[in-house]
Each structure stands twice: as C-alpha cells, then as structure tokens.
Amino acid sequence: MSKRLISQIFQQRVLALIQASSRSRSAFAEEIGIDRSALSQLLAEDAVRLPRADTLVRIARRYNVSVDWLLGLAERADATGGRTTEVADNPDYYNIPLLTRWHTEAEGMKIRYVPYRLPDILRMSEIVAWELGPDHDDPEAIETIVGNLNYNRGPGTDMEICLATQTVTSLIDGVFPWDGLPVSVRRAQIEHMAERVEALYPSLRIFLFDGRRHHTVPYTIFGTQRAAIYAGSQYIVFNDQATILRMQRHFDSLIRQSVTQPHDVSRWLRQAATAIGNR
C-alpha cells in the first residue's frame, strides 16, 4: 500500500472519529497533543504525511481504536482484541461506579442518552426514595445517591437526551410506575425537571419524541468509546465503532422525529405541571 493511500485512509478515519465525537478540530488536536495547524496539515487533501508514532498511539487510546485501523491495515476499528460485545453486571440501579467510569472515559465527548424512566440527572430525592421502596428510609443515604446521579455532569459535558413524552405523562397522570405517588411530589418533580433543563441548557439538550410511534430500548452512547444498552440488572456493551455509529444513527433518527425541541422543553414541562391533579 502506498504512503499516499495510507495517508488518505488515515484522514478519512480521523475525520470519522471527529464527527462521531462531535468535537471540533481544535479540541481534537488538543487532546491528542498536537496544535491545530499540525492537524490541518495532516488532514489537507494533498497531504502525503503521517503523524508520529506517539500521536497515533494517543489517538488510538483516546478513541478506543487500533493503530492498524487508523492506517488502513485492519477493517475492524476496535482495539479490544476482537471482543466487541460484553455484558456488564449492574445488580443495583443506583450503584453507579460503572457509569461514572464510562462517563469519565468519554469526558469531552458527546453523550447520547435514552433513559429508563426519568433521566438520572433530573431525579429528585423523593423519586429516588419512592423507587428504592420502604426498606430504604435513610434520608442521608438517599441524598448521597441523588448527589451521585450527577456523575454525568463532568467538565465540558455535552449531553443529548431523547425522552418519550409518555415517560413524562405517566408521571403527570400517576399511572404505573408512579401510581400511589402523591400529587404534590409528582408536581414538584416536573417543576424540578423544568428548572434543571432550563439551567443546564444548552450543554444539556432534551428532545421529546412520541413513544407510541417510535420504539426504543434505554441506552447510552459514550462518545466514540462505547454504547451500552440497559437491560435491568445488566448492561450490554458494544465497543466496536461500526455498532456505535449505527446506534448514533438510531439516536439521530429519534431527534429528527422529536415533537418538542430542547429550547421548548422547560416550557412544555411547566405547562404539564399545571395539569397534575386536574386530569
């Protein structure tokens, strides 16, 4: 394979990584330890140069790909030795060290999130206590859990959430799984969500879609690092770039089909809060 062809393949694959991570070229250059001008030279259409070995290694480690793939010597992008899918046990929903680690490893990349029920970052302590049940009545422990749910608010976090409107309306109407939850708590939770959404916008953007027309399982895509499907007591984790990109396309399709855009979500939630107890 000629050096020119290797250079072209390298350019294509680096550009794919930049696009998938939603990083700017300047940010990408900074995190792999080169300046923007050096990256521009590497990606120039007429370039026949390749990066230094240490730069290749930094790209591979940061984006969970192999050096061989970057240089066109392998078709599989993953650097996992062929292990592209794994199952990670998570017996306790609120035991979150695993999620914290995954978010930390994807720091600075876009997080795409389809939650199970309400998004973690928007839950009040009363909701956590309700879900834990009467056997967990330690207020201090519950507040600690709520604080830990901010695992996904690291520096430079850029998060998009696709949330079915039915997830919210079930809380408004007090139907499963919220049947029996007091009206005052349900209203406070919706108002809390509206405040948080407004305060964290635009680094946190929520898209509401019609769950009757568009079906999905809960999952999170951690930049270009991995994608994890939530399966109750386990996560099904995908490490290969092809699957991650396919799941990104699925997420993007939910965004395209959304019925409420991020800048309108807080207003929609506040209007919804007024309906609680009146429906």
Side-chain angles (χ1 to χ4, degrees):
M1 190 184 304
S2 69
K3 185 176 181 180
R4 177 176 293 277
L5 181 56
I6 294 174
S7 176
Q8 290 173 345
I9 293 173
F10 170 78
Q11 291 175 353
Q12 293 167 1
R13 294 185 172 178
V14 165
L15 288 171
L17 291 176
I18 294 173
Q19 181 180 12
S21 66
S22 300
R23 304 282 276 163
S24 67
R25 291 194 182 189
S26 295
F28 179 86
E30 181 178 355
E31 69 182 1
I32 64 171
I34 63 175
D35 57 38
R36 170 63 190 269
S37 61
L39 179 64
S40 296
Q41 291 173 16
L42 288 171
L43 298 181
E45 289 187 13
D46 57 349
V48 192
R49 59 179 297 187
L50 292 169
R52 293 171 27 166
D54 58 337
T55 302
L56 280 169
V57 170
R58 282 195 294 270
I59 296 173
R61 288 177 176 172
R62 181 69 177 95
Y63 288 90
N64 196 34
V65 297
S66 69
V67 171
D68 283 353
W69 178 78
L70 287 170
L71 298 177
L73 304 177
E75 289 303 314
R76 299 179 70 95
D78 65 281
T80 59
R83 188 187 63 187
T84 59
T85 306
E86 57 185 313
V87 176
D89 290 328
N90 187 63
D92 181 354
Y93 181 84
Y94 285 113
N95 184 18
I96 59 174
L98 187 64
L99 289 174
T100 301
R101 176 169 66 83
W102 289 344
H103 276 273
T104 300
E105 291 174 353
E107 184 177 325
M109 299 181 182
K110 180 184 289 186
I111 306 297
R112 298 166 171 90
Y113 176 34
V114 180
Y116 170 69
R117 297 183 183 171
L118 299 178
D120 292 346
I121 195 173
L122 302 181
R123 295 174 188 234
M124 292 173 53
S125 57
E126 291 84 352
I127 294 295
V128 173
W130 172 265
E131 292 188 319
L132 288 174
D135 293 336
H136 298 77
D137 57 357
D138 182 348
E140 186 174 339
I142 290 172
E143 287 300 328
T144 298
I145 290 173
V146 173
N148 289 340
L149 291 178
N150 283 310
Y151 59 80
N152 49 18
R153 292 308 304 167
T157 296
D158 181 25
M159 176 178 285
E160 291 180 339
I161 298 176
C162 281
L163 181 66
T165 57
Q166 289 77 12
T167 300
V168 182
T169 56
S170 67
L171 178 61
I172 293 170
D173 295 335
V175 298
F176 180 82
W178 312 112
D179 42 321
L181 186 64
V183 168
S184 59
V185 175
R186 289 190 277 124
R187 181 180 293 113
Q189 173 61 51
I190 296 294
E191 292 172 346
H192 173 76
M193 290 172 65
E195 292 171 2
R196 292 282 281 169
V197 166
E198 193 169 58
L200 296 174
Y201 180 81
S203 62
L204 173 70
R205 300 176 298 283
I206 295 183
F207 299 82
L208 299 178
F209 67 94
D210 186 349
R212 293 170 300 185
R213 298 184 60 192
H214 307 286
H215 303 286
T216 182
V217 296
Y219 63 82
T220 306
I221 304 171
F222 300 88
T224 58
Q225 295 287 313
R226 60 179 55 81
I229 294 175
Y230 178 65
S233 61
Q234 295 176 324
Y235 285 97
I236 303 171
V237 186
F238 301 94
N239 301 299
D240 63 291
Q241 293 299 308
T243 302
I244 292 171
L245 288 172
R246 288 181 67 181
M247 292 184 68
Q248 286 179 1
R249 288 194 289 271
H250 176 268
F251 189 91
D252 290 343
S253 73
L254 293 177
I255 287 180
R256 287 193 295 272
Q257 301 298 328
S258 61
V259 294
T260 305
Q261 299 299 305
H263 62 277
D264 283 331
V265 169
S266 60
R267 178 183 57 80
W268 186 91
L269 288 168
R270 286 195 171 91
Q271 289 179 344
T274 64
I276 296 178
N278 299 323
R279 290 167 54 158

